[in-house]
Amino acid sequence: MADILDGGAHTLRSHGVAVAKIHKHDWLILLLLVVIAVGLNIIEPFHHFVGEEMMTDLKYPLKGNTIPFWAVAIIAILLPFIIFLIYYFIKKDVYDLHHATLGLLFSVLITAVITEAIKDAVGRPRPDFFWRCFPDGKPAFYPTIAGNSTANVSGDVMCSGIKSVIKEGYKSFPSGHTSGSYAGLGFLAWYLSGKIRVFDRRGHVAKLCIIFLPLLVAALVGVSRVDDNWHHWQDVFAGGLLGTTIASFCYLQFFPPPYDIDGWGPHAYFQMLAESGNGNQSSATNVNHANVHQSELQSICIQPQHG
C-alpha cells in the first residue's frame, strides 16, 4: 500500500471494491431495511377510535401533496449524494464517498422503518380524515351500546370512502415526509459541517448559513404537510425530531464530530492510514506517516486553531 503512504488517490477503481467488500454485510442490512419499510407500509395501521365529537378537528379539506413522496427521495437522498460525488471528484477519496453514501442511506431507511412502525402502532387520524371517511359529506357512526366497548358498537366511525384512502387517513403521526427530509438533509448538514470546518473557531457566519440551508429545506417540507392538511403540527415536530436524531447517530457512526481536528474525513480513512503505517513501517517511517497525515489536512486548507 505504498501508494496510500505516498499520498496517492483512493479512487473507486483502485479501492472501491475492497471498501465495499469490507461493508458487504452493511449493504445487506440496507436491503433488509427496505423490505421491512415496504412491509410496514403495506400492513393495515391501528384504527384509532374516532367519535362524533372528535370530528371538529378532522374536517380540513382533502388536498393533494405540494411535495409528493418521490420529491422527498430526490431532496433527501439524491441531492446529498450529488454533493458527495462532487467532493469525490475533487479529492478522489472513495472512503469518504462510500461511508457518506452508506451513512446517508442508513439514516433515511432507519428513519423510514421507525416512522412507519410508529404510524401503524398509533393510528392517529389525519386532519382531513372526515372527507377520507365520508367523501359524500354524510357522517355515520356505530350506535353506542352501554357496557359494550367493542369497536363496531362504541360510536366509532362507519367509513364509506375508498379503503386505501381511509387507510392513509390513519397514518398521521409522525410525518414521514418530514422525518425523511430531516434524516437526509440533517445528515448532509453534518457532512458539510465537517468539510467546511464550520467549528474552526474563526467565527465565519457564512459557514453557518451553508449548514442551515439544508435544514431550512427540510423545515419547509414539514410546513407543507400542515398546509396540505395531511398532518397536525405535532406530527411534523415529532418527524423532524426523529429524523434529526437518527441522522446525528448515523453520521457520528462513520465520521468524527465536525469540531474534531479530523472532522473532515471518515473514521475508516484514518484507520486505514494507521493500519498501513503500523503494518509496514518502522518507527522512523511512522514519523513520515504522520507527516503524510498532516499533508492530507493541509491539502483541504485546514488550519486548526487552539485557544
Side-chain angles (χ1 to χ4, degrees), residues 83-195:
I83 294 176
F84 300 161
L85 278 178
I86 293 174
Y87 184 83
Y88 167 75
F89 285 120
I90 294 174
K91 294 299 179 182
K92 297 296 188 296
D93 184 359
V94 71
Y95 288 91
D96 185 273
L97 176 64
H98 179 273
H99 287 75
T101 302
L102 190 60
L104 173 69
L105 293 178
F106 263 114
S107 179
V108 173
L109 288 175
I110 292 175
T111 299
V113 168
I114 295 178
T115 299
E116 287 298 325
I118 296 175
K119 280 178 177 286
D120 291 338
V122 174
R124 186 183 191 185
R126 297 185 186 272
D128 57 8
F129 181 81
F130 178 90
W131 297 105
R132 291 174 178 272
C133 188
F134 311 118
D136 58 0
K138 299 177 181 179
F141 300 86
Y142 288 102
T144 301
I145 299 177
N148 195 329
S149 61
T150 56
N152 62 344
V153 292
S154 64
D156 201 2
V157 290
M158 297 176 60
C159 292
S160 56
I162 301 174
K163 185 176 180 180
S164 60
V165 177
I166 298 171
K167 175 184 175 181
E168 274 299 314
Y170 282 103
K171 303 179 74 172
S172 186
F173 183 89
S175 168
H177 278 59
T178 307
S179 64
S181 297
Y182 272 96
L185 295 176
F187 188 94
L188 176 61
W190 276 98
Y191 181 84
L192 293 175
S193 296
K195 292 297 179 287

Side-chain angles (χ1 to χ4, degrees), residues 47-66:
H47 285 204
H48 195 283
F49 172 81
V50 183
E52 186 172 3
E53 68 283 355
M54 300 170 61
M55 280 296 178
T56 303
D57 297 328
L58 303 177
K59 287 187 176 181
Y60 287 85
L62 183 62
K63 299 168 60 177
N65 292 295
T66 300

Side-chain angles (χ1 to χ4, degrees), residues 5-33:
L5 296 176
D6 291 335
H10 315 104
T11 65
L12 284 169
R13 178 175 296 181
S14 63
H15 296 78
V17 174
V19 174
K21 282 184 177 180
I22 294 175
H23 293 274
K24 60 183 178 181
H25 295 103
D26 294 318
W27 288 101
L28 291 175
I29 292 175
L30 282 178
L31 293 177
L32 177 61
L33 289 174

Side-chain angles (χ1 to χ4, degrees), residues 258-305:
Y259 54 79
D260 192 270
I261 190 173
D262 293 331
W264 57 271
H267 293 300
Y269 176 77
F270 302 113
Q271 182 179 0
M272 174 273 297
L273 289 179
E275 291 176 350
S276 300
N278 292 334
N280 301 296
Q281 304 297 317
S282 64
S283 58
T285 309
N286 284 336
V287 174
N288 182 55
H289 164 67
N291 293 333
V292 172
H293 188 179
Q294 181 63 28
S295 68
E296 290 282 351
L297 296 177
Q298 294 174 347
S299 68
I300 59 171
C301 301
I302 296 175
Q303 297 296 332
Q305 300 294 310

